[in-house]
Amino acid sequence: MSRQRSLEKIAVSEYVSIGELVRLTGSRYSTLKFYTEEGMLPFEQEEENLTRRFPRERTVARINEIQELKRQGCSIPEIKKLLHK
């Protein structure tokens, strides 16, 4: 298992892992995994069996957007529709 990067290094990295997104946003791992599987979070994956890499700035902004839409009472299908406009 690799060593965890410090929050300082994560905060300036171009790409982060889903675990690092958990640390950055305070979201649950299962929630972020669900958003990823539903196509709501952008990621890159060089090969099928490699770790997904998330563009940090864009993904954190997207997570904040999803959380705000949820606070406004939007359902997941509504949020997906809004995100893909």
Side-chain angles (χ1 to χ4, degrees):
M1 179 181 269
S2 62
R3 206 171 149 179
Q4 274 192 352
R5 296 193 298 171
S6 69
L7 276 176
E8 293 81 18
K9 285 192 180 201
I10 295 168
V12 297
S13 295
E14 184 176 359
Y15 291 96
V16 294
S17 69
I18 194 167
E20 291 169 340
L21 282 172
V22 167
R23 293 174 64 201
L24 284 174
T25 65
S27 299
R28 292 174 50 150
Y29 179 89
S30 58
T31 300
L32 297 183
K33 187 158 176 56
F34 173 76
Y35 292 163
T36 301
E37 290 169 355
E38 289 294 312
M40 299 165 70
L41 296 181
F43 68 88
E44 294 179 12
Q45 190 172 13
E46 291 179 14
E47 292 180 28
E48 193 173 313
N49 60 347
L50 293 179
T51 303
R52 294 173 177 161
R53 300 177 342 141
F54 297 85
R56 180 185 49 81
E57 288 182 8
R58 195 165 124 216
T59 308
V60 169
R62 176 61 65 92
I63 292 167
N64 291 334
E65 184 178 6
I66 292 168
Q67 290 172 339
E68 180 57 33
L69 290 167
K70 284 179 69 178
R71 276 191 288 276
Q72 293 173 16
C74 293
S75 67
I76 293 296
E78 291 170 329
I79 292 171
K80 285 173 68 174
K81 190 174 181 180
L82 290 168
L83 294 177
H84 293 294
K85 282 187 174 181

